[in-house]
Each structure stands twice: as C-alpha cells, then as structure tokens.
Amino acid sequence: MNKITVKNTIVEIDGDEMTRVMWKMVKDSLLLPYLDLKLSYYDLQLKKRDDTGDKITLEAAEAIKKFGVGVKCATITPNKDRVKEYNLKQEWPSPNGTIRAALDGTVFRAPILVKNIPPAVRSWKKPIHIGRHAYGDVYKNCEYRVPEPGKAEMTFTNVAGKELWRGTIQDFKGPGIIQGIHNTDKSISSFAKACFTYAYDQRLHLWLGAKDTISKTYDAQFRKIFEEEYQKTWKVKFEEAGLNYFFTLIDDAVARIMKTEGGMLWACKNYDGDVMSDMLGSAYGSLAMMTSVLVSPQGYYEFEASHGTVQKHYYKYQKGEKTSTNPMALIFAWTGCLKKRGELDQTPAVVEFAKMLEEAALETIESGIMTSDLMLVATPDPKNRQVYTEEFIAEVGNSLQKKLE
Ligand code: NAP
Ligand code: MG
C-alpha cells in the first residue's frame, strides 16, 4: 500500500512513563505503517531535561513556532520524590508551563464521546469544551506565611519609582497566610481572542464565568476585556452563525452547565479551568477520554492528552506485568495534529486518514473492546471485553486497516 505523504514537518515531543510506552506503540502500529511523516523530534523525558538544564524544553517550544504544529506526550513535572527517583540536579518546572508561556497559548479541552459511555450528567448530549486561561493568577503567585500579629499591605510602584497605590490586605491579630496574584491585559486579551476564534471555528456558543460581584477590579477586568473583544470583532459573525456569547457568574455557570445539553466552549480562568476540566473529564467517562490543544494567538498548535504519565501503571509495566491503559487521548492528540497539519498544508488525504483513525478508535470501544478504566463506566453489555493496552491498539489497527482497504 502506498503511504500518505504528510507534506510539512510535525514537531514530536516525547515524554515519560506509561504514556511514553504507549506513544511508541501508537506510532509503530497506527501511524508509521500508513504515513510518510517528517518529524522534528524532541525527547522531553525527565532525564533529558535534567541533562540539558531544561534547554530541550525551550527548544521544543521554538520548534513549534518554526513549524506551526506539534504533538506532545505527557511528561513528569518533578517534585521532591522525583528528584530522588531520577537523581535530578533540581526540581525542574512543568514543561507544559514552559511551553505555554513561550507560545502565550490557551489550552482547550474536549471530551471524546462514545455511544456506550453515557456522561454522568444525563442532560449532556454534546461535548462541553473548556478553554483554560493558561497564564497567571494563583499559578504565578507570591505568598507568605504570616508568623505573628502585624499588618499586610500591597503596593504598586511604577517604573519611575513612584508609589502609585497602597492598600491594606489585613491587620493580623495572629498567624495567618497571604497571597498576591496578578494578570495582564495583554494575556487576558490573547485569551479572549483565542476563545472567540476557537468557538467560531468549531461553531460553539461561548460562555465566560467569573466572580466580578466580589472581585470588582480583578475578575471584572476579564469580563470587560471579553465584552470589548466581542463587540469589536465577533458580534456580527456570531449572530450570523447563530452563536451567542454569554457572561455569567462562575457559580451560576457551574449550576447551569449541569442542566444544558452541552455544545459550548466554556472559557475559564486559570484555576477554574484546572479544576473544571478534571471534573468534566471524569464525568464524561475517564481522564483518558479527554483531548487537549494549546492554541497561540499567532496560530501555533500543540496537541496533547490531558492526563498525566499514568505512573502507577508504568511501575506495573516495569515489573513485566501487562497493563490495561487507555491510549485514546494520545491517539486523538496525533489525529488532531494530523488534521491541523493537513488543513494548513491543504492535503485532504491526511485529514481523511486522521478522521478514519478516529472512527476506528471510537468504533473499537463501541464494539465493546476497551481498557480497564472504561469497563467501570460503560453501559453493561455481554459483548464488553477488557483488553491489555497493546491488544486495544491492535484492534484499532485492524479496524483502521479495514477502512483503508
Ligand atoms: P495521571 O497520570 O493522569 O493519572 C491519574 C490516574 O488517572 C491514574 O492513576 C489512573 O487511575 C487514571 N488514568 C489517567 N490516565 C489514564 C489512562 N490513559 N488510562 C487509564 N487510566 C488513566 O495523573 P497523576 O498520577 O497525578 O500524575 C502522574 C505524573 O504525570 C506526574 O508526574 C505529573 O507530574 C504528570 N502529569 C503530566 C501532565 C502532562 O504532561 N500533560 C498532566 C498531568 C500530570 P488508576 O491508577 O486508578 O488506574
Ligand atoms: Mg487539574
């Protein structure tokens, strides 16, 4: 069979543990036999980041800027245990954080729906996409453990050295805690642009939730910037497409989401997006049924799974035991990346291939063949059969082969 040529380069970012193992299986069985791929490869496994003083992570981000499209495996964000486990020089920062910052990107997540896994919320019929603002707030905080009574203040001094503002946080009568957080108009504005663009591309309504009744300056700024962006660039386009933009309080958004049928992009501030995407992921079946893409305002794309490296499964694998780990999100990271590459290169055959691979994967689960995480949540059926990781990938391969013939 002739291989399909993928015209331009894809940046491939390899990672750690069980996802690294599955990454190779997916490539070897589902991609390389069918595609002629040009890959710019960056190995971000923890040891390589340590050896290069984390330079490799920045290089990978630069490569995405150069080629436009990348796909990333999950990577370990080291903590104290990992420093010991891998004998690291230091606790390196999260590669995702580094790449996000370099691309000034917004992360969009969407569940992968299959017929035999009903969402935990009965009214949800369509995917709910989440757009998580990936800059600032508590993720770039300045915090302090207050040891004794005293006064906590916040000040702002301009570049000329003049103090423009001073406010009291709290007059402490005893020990406590304080935290300073920030965001920038530039980043919120990029976030708004990315959300409107994504929602319009995918024909989704756009929701934004924030707490501007309590946080009259901070959260209100998100509302203000989104409204300006909407009025300036999107109102007419949205109305023509039958789409709407809806701002509401974050708690109201949470309550309403439970009663909709889905089919919207939910723009979330950084922390809300972190928490809510995990809730959605498990409500739709499994963390492994959630895709993720980082979109930069310049139009660079990085596709990944939204779950981590599935550490516990990896330790089993290392002992020579077989695991039943779900590769769906990794497969969809590759298909998302191939679809975008094909779209940008104007090579419909590549897009077609990616869609076929997605269908093959979905149909495999719908036929009852699935990994352990889905057995617990799938509609009970005598046909359901739990398989090992490599068996699942082989079944997807068989189904893909039939489609291609
Ligand atoms: P995780 O790897 O997502 O795993 C959490 C649990 O979810 C697993 O123990 C497993 O449950 C289940 N799970 C996740 N993915 C699965 C899959 N594909 N198939 C089946 N079950 C799956 O999160 P974590 O354990 O908190 O983190 C592990 C490592 O990943 C950490 O070092 C962290 O830094 C890193 N991480 C990386 C990224 C990223 O690169 N994008 C994101 C998050 C975390 P059971 O064990 O109960 O089967
Ligand atoms: Mg989270």
Side-chain angles (χ1 to χ4, degrees):
M1 196 172 60
N2 281 342
K3 288 192 184 181
I4 300 164
T5 303
V6 180
K7 197 163 134 202
N8 285 306
T9 302
I10 287 173
V11 180
E12 178 191 0
I13 304 176
D14 211 341
D16 290 298
E17 300 195 311
M18 200 60 211
T19 39
R20 184 183 183 90
V21 175
M22 293 198 290
W23 189 260
K24 184 168 185 332
M25 291 178 185
V26 167
K27 258 181 83 181
D28 288 349
S29 317
L30 304 177
L31 304 173
L32 297 181
Y34 308 103
L35 299 175
D36 195 0
L37 280 168
K38 286 192 271 299
L39 298 167
S40 175
Y41 179 82
Y42 292 84
D43 190 354
L44 258 59
Q45 64 168 302
L46 188 49
K47 201 71 196 115
K48 288 279 159 59
R49 280 179 273 149
D50 196 51
D51 290 345
T52 62
D54 210 22
K55 246 179 68 194
I56 186 118
T57 307
L58 286 170
E59 287 167 5
E62 286 308 312
I64 295 177
K65 287 189 190 167
K66 179 169 172 201
F67 296 109
V69 182
V71 57
K72 180 180 170 292
C73 182
T75 43
I76 294 169
T77 299
N79 54 17
K80 299 229 159 37
D81 295 339
R82 299 296 202 164
V83 171
K84 249 190 254 154
E85 183 182 356
Y86 287 85
N87 189 23
L88 302 177
K89 295 185 199 115
Q90 69 175 77
E91 231 175 87
W92 300 105
S94 151
N96 292 328
T98 303
I99 295 172
R100 260 178 233 157
L103 301 183
D104 184 23
T106 299
V107 176
F108 295 98
R109 294 192 163 165
I112 302 165
L113 300 189
V114 284
K115 294 194 190 93
N116 49 343
I117 302 179
V121 178
R122 266 172 291 144
S123 64
W124 292 353
K125 304 275 184 287
K126 301 177 200 160
I128 296 169
H129 300 237
I130 282 209
R132 173 180 169 190
H133 186 207
Y135 177 82
D137 300 354
V138 294
Y139 302 85
K140 216 163 165 31
N141 67 5
C142 166
E143 50 180 25
Y144 178 64
R145 163 78 173 131
V146 172
E148 58 187 40
K151 183 177 183 145
E153 287 183 304
M154 192 153 74
T155 64
F156 178 78
T157 310
N158 74 8
V159 282
K162 182 170 183 244
E163 185 181 300
L164 294 191
W165 180 81
R166 176 176 291 265
T168 300
I169 298 170
Q170 181 68 1
D171 277 312
F172 282 93
K173 307 280 179 272
I177 40 185
I178 55 172
Q179 178 182 58
I181 60 170
H182 83 281
N183 227 297
T184 65
D185 285 9
K186 180 166 176 280
S187 174
I188 301 168
S189 173
S190 295
F191 173 49
K193 285 193 176 76
C195 288
F196 280 107
T197 307
Y198 181 95
Y200 186 72
D201 272 2
Q202 309 247 347
R203 295 296 186 267
L204 300 165
H205 301 298
L206 176 61
W207 288 26
L208 171 68
K211 196 74 181 175
D212 67 324
T213 47
I214 300 294
S215 172
K216 292 183 197 299
T217 303
Y218 198 107
D219 276 28
Q221 192 65 4
F222 283 79
R223 179 177 185 171
K224 185 163 163 259
I225 288 175
F226 267 72
E227 185 61 35
E228 282 167 4
E229 176 67 20
Y230 178 62
Q231 294 295 341
K232 197 175 75 198
T233 315
W234 300 97
K235 191 166 190 287
V236 176
K237 280 187 176 171
F238 263 50
E239 281 171 2
E240 278 169 8
L243 299 174
N244 53 54
Y245 164 61
F246 174 55
F247 173 86
T248 187
L249 286 173
I250 181 66
D251 37 357
D252 183 51
V254 170
R256 281 174 191 253
I257 275 286
M258 296 312 228
K259 304 212 159 150
T260 62
E261 61 165 30
M264 73 284 286
L265 168 64
W266 184 9
C268 288
K269 290 178 61 204
N270 209 346
Y271 177 83
D272 299 337
D274 184 350
V275 175
M276 287 303 161
S277 63
D278 285 2
M279 186 197 74
L280 284 186
S282 75
Y284 275 112
S286 159
L287 283 184
M289 298 295 276
M290 189 79 149
T291 63
S292 182
V293 56
L294 176 73
V295 183
S296 88
Q298 293 80 19
Y300 310 131
Y301 293 81
E302 185 209 47
F303 295 83
E304 58 170 3
S306 73
H307 59 75
T309 58
V310 214
Q311 186 179 3
K312 280 184 227 138
H313 293 217
Y314 181 62
Y315 291 157
K316 270 177 77 178
Y317 170 87
Q318 272 187 318
K319 281 192 259 163
E321 289 173 42
K322 287 195 175 216
T323 73
S324 181
T325 320
N326 190 340
M328 284 294 281
L330 290 184
I331 294 172
F332 274 67
W334 274 101
T335 56
C337 166
L338 288 167
K339 283 195 283 186
K340 185 48 80 179
R341 185 72 281 171
E343 195 187 304
L344 296 172
D345 297 349
Q346 299 186 316
T347 49
V350 174
V351 178
E352 251 339 279
F353 172 83
K355 285 186 181 161
M356 254 187 242
L357 175 50
E358 288 183 355
E359 279 165 26
L362 296 172
E363 285 165 15
T364 300
I365 296 177
E366 286 173 353
S367 77
I369 298 168
M370 59 189 86
T371 46
S372 59
D373 54 325
L374 300 185
M375 283 301 278
L376 302 168
V377 288
T379 311
D381 191 303
K383 282 200 315 273
N384 289 357
R385 181 159 67 88
Q386 179 175 320
V387 294
Y388 294 122
T389 312
E390 55 270 41
E391 290 176 305
F392 181 81
I393 293 171
E395 291 286 350
V396 175
N398 291 340
S399 163
L400 174 65
Q401 187 72 44
K402 278 194 211 118
K403 284 176 186 295
L404 289 166
E405 274 159 14

